[in-house]
Amino acid sequence: MMVATVLILAKSRNLFAVVVLGGIYSFLMATVLVALDAVDVAMTEAAVGAGVSTVLLLGALHLCRADEAKPAQRPWLPLAVALGTGAVLVYGTLGLPAFSDPQAPIRTHVEPRYLNEAQKETGVPNVVAAVLASYRGYDTLGETTVVFTAGAGVIALLRRRKKKDAAKDDDGKAAP
Amino acid sequence: MKNDLVLRVVAKLFIPFILLFALYVQFHGELGPGGGFQAGVIAAAGVVLHALIFGLDAARRIVPERLVETMLAAGVLIYAGVGVAGLLLGGNFLDYFVLSGDPVYGQLRGIFWVEAGVFVTVSGVMLKIFYMFAARGRDEDGEEA
């Protein structure tokens, strides 16, 4: 189903359909993540990918035309690059340990400590929350700063535009 | 969409539950799935729904832009403040064990405030971006109406 969604997504020229299909793809991805027992990530994917980003993209779509322009040339080179990168990445996964192999390095390094000691050390039953906020507190601080920077960037980019529009509006409500 | 009775009633019914669910995800994040990020997005989505149904100005009256912009920075400051509080109490940066007499309780307290900081920043940023895009589109709406 996800493959079908992606194919239609790539084929479609109507941007509204693309945005809605993107939301559907996010929901499908969220169900996959639930199936993988990553409930926290699934929740984020459903809320951000399907919810807020769809609304933001629709808002952006409102500002421009609803049909994708015809590409200037056939996209064979980008397609080849994408396929090549994908093939290399798939080749790379061959070297990884098998899925849920208990002897894999990721299972023997810090994971046992997190899983066994997290509840005792932090009193938090959800290990994901414990790792996120406590063991990896610096990383999460960095992430929060990144989110803040994104917001600040949007303000910096769009606010000046708004002032210009307001100035034009003051000139007699003629501005589009 | 302002004049659609069904949408208005359904939105009025849903928005309190969306916001309540956001708070549940926020404060229950240590026990079940969820946390500051998810809760922030859900809370922002609730306000965005309100803005979609009742218009941008109605949403701006409830959650003014000044508040949103303050939230943007306040969240990061809360997060970093937890780290500095750890420093002041004699631990390392972002060391929660010193926040309370009992190390485990200190951890709980630290995680709570850190998640609160994430919640505030994320919901602030989401709302701010939405306001920005919606406000740009609105000028053209005014022409059409």
Side-chain angles (χ1 to χ4, degrees), chain A residues 102-150:
Chain A
Q103 293 309 314
I106 189 178
R107 304 265 176 263
T108 51
H109 182 44
V110 288
E111 199 187 79
R113 165 130 188 248
Y114 287 165
L115 287 181
N116 297 326
E117 307 291 326
Q119 175 123 26
K120 237 182 293 164
E121 288 184 347
T122 65
V124 171
N126 182 1
V127 183
V128 176
V131 171
L132 206 72
S134 185
Y135 294 111
R136 288 277 170 270
Y138 276 79
D139 297 5
T140 311
L141 176 61
E143 280 162 26
T144 314
T145 316
V146 166
V147 172
F148 165 74
T149 316

Side-chain angles (χ1 to χ4, degrees), chain B residues 92-131:
Chain B
N92 291 325
F93 188 65
L94 287 177
D95 210 348
Y96 308 142
F97 294 107
V98 290
L99 291 178
S100 166
D102 179 28
V104 171
Y105 189 67
Q107 281 281 338
L108 278 180
R109 193 179 271 183
I111 291 177
F112 172 82
W113 281 108
V114 159
E115 295 278 15
V118 175
F119 171 85
V120 169
T121 292
V122 168
S123 56
V125 167
M126 293 291 168
L127 267 183
K128 186 67 199 170
I129 296 178
F130 174 74
Y131 278 177

Side-chain angles (χ1 to χ4, degrees), chain A residues 6-176:
Chain A
V6 170
L7 284 181
I8 304 171
L9 243 173
K11 202 80 194 136
S12 176
R13 287 257 163 261
N14 186 340
L15 291 181
F16 184 76
V18 167
V19 171
V20 174
L21 279 169
I24 293 174
Y25 180 81
S26 284
F27 268 124
L28 290 173
M29 195 70 215
T31 45
V32 169
L33 289 167
V34 169
L36 287 173
D37 275 346
V39 194
D40 286 80
V41 192
M43 203 168 185
T44 316
E45 177 72 38
V48 180
V52 173
S53 70
T54 305
V55 170
L56 287 181
L57 283 175
L58 283 178
L61 201 58
H62 185 73
L63 301 175
C64 60
R65 286 176 47 234
D67 284 309
E68 195 179 339
K70 275 258 175 268
Q73 68 247 29
R74 306 301 290 165
W76 293 122
L77 180 66
L79 183 69
V81 170
L83 282 181
T85 317
V88 170
L89 286 176
V90 169
Y91 177 71
T93 60
L94 296 179
L96 291 176
F99 185 64
S100 70
D101 173 10
Q103 293 309 314
I106 189 178
R107 304 265 176 263
T108 51
H109 182 44
V110 288
E111 199 187 79
R113 165 130 188 248
Y114 287 165
L115 287 181
N116 297 326
E117 307 291 326
Q119 175 123 26
K120 237 182 293 164
E121 288 184 347
T122 65
V124 171
N126 182 1
V127 183
V128 176
V131 171
L132 206 72
S134 185
Y135 294 111
R136 288 277 170 270
Y138 276 79
D139 297 5
T140 311
L141 176 61
E143 280 162 26
T144 314
T145 316
V146 166
V147 172
F148 165 74
T149 316
V154 169
I155 293 178
L157 280 174
L158 293 187
R159 168 153 305 163
R160 200 192 301 149
R161 221 40 82 67
K162 207 171 79 182
K163 258 184 201 154
K164 221 187 282 168
D165 281 353
K168 267 193 233 158
D169 279 352
D170 288 343
D171 291 340
K173 292 275 170 202

